[in-house]
Amino acid sequence: MESGIGILSKIFAVYIITCVVASSSLFGPLREMVKRTTPWLVIGESKHPIECRLCLGFWVSLLVCLCTSPPELITINVLPVYGASYFLATQER
């Protein structure tokens, strides 16, 4: 079992990475490049997944858990880390 500090650090890391990549001016050129090269990822009138914090947050959660969790805990950690980091995003004003 992973410690609470380990899970909390993953949650905050995913929250910050998702926030910075999805909406900061620092990653604006990268977002535009990704949107130009992958227009097929947009479904209907929705945003591109790199601008959607819900979509991007899942993939960042998966990547963070793959890089930081022991192999037997990756599948157990992804959804709680994703859910808690997205909950933090919904609390912004």
Side-chain angles (χ1 to χ4, degrees), residues 11 13 20-21 25 28 33 38 41 45-47 49-50 55 62-63 66-67 71 73-75 83 87-89 93:
I11 290 167
V20 169
V21 172
S25 60
M33 182 196 68
T38 58
L41 288 175
E45 298 294 319
S46 62
K47 291 181 180 180
I50 196 147
C55 304
L62 185 62
L63 182 65
L66 281 171
C67 293
L73 293 179
I74 291 171
T75 56
F87 174 76
L88 286 174
R93 296 203 185 254

Side-chain angles (χ1 to χ4, degrees), residues 7-82:
I7 292 291
L8 279 176
S9 63
K10 286 181 180 80
I11 290 167
F12 286 121
V14 169
Y15 168 70
I16 292 299
I17 292 168
T18 302
C19 180
V20 169
V21 172
S23 55
S24 76
S25 60
L26 178 67
F27 283 91
L30 174 69
R31 281 193 308 275
E32 293 305 316
M33 182 196 68
V34 169
K35 287 181 352 185
R36 272 193 317 274
T37 57
T38 58
W40 47 271
L41 288 175
V42 177
I43 299 172
E45 298 294 319
S46 62
K47 291 181 180 180
H48 192 281
I50 196 147
E51 295 178 316
C52 173
R53 295 201 30 197
L54 182 65
C55 304
L56 184 62
F58 174 77
W59 295 109
V60 172
S61 299
L62 185 62
L63 182 65
V64 166
C65 288
L66 281 171
C67 293
T68 61
S69 296
E72 64 274 3
L73 293 179
I74 291 171
T75 56
I76 295 171
N77 286 345
V78 171
L79 290 179
V81 167
Y82 166 64

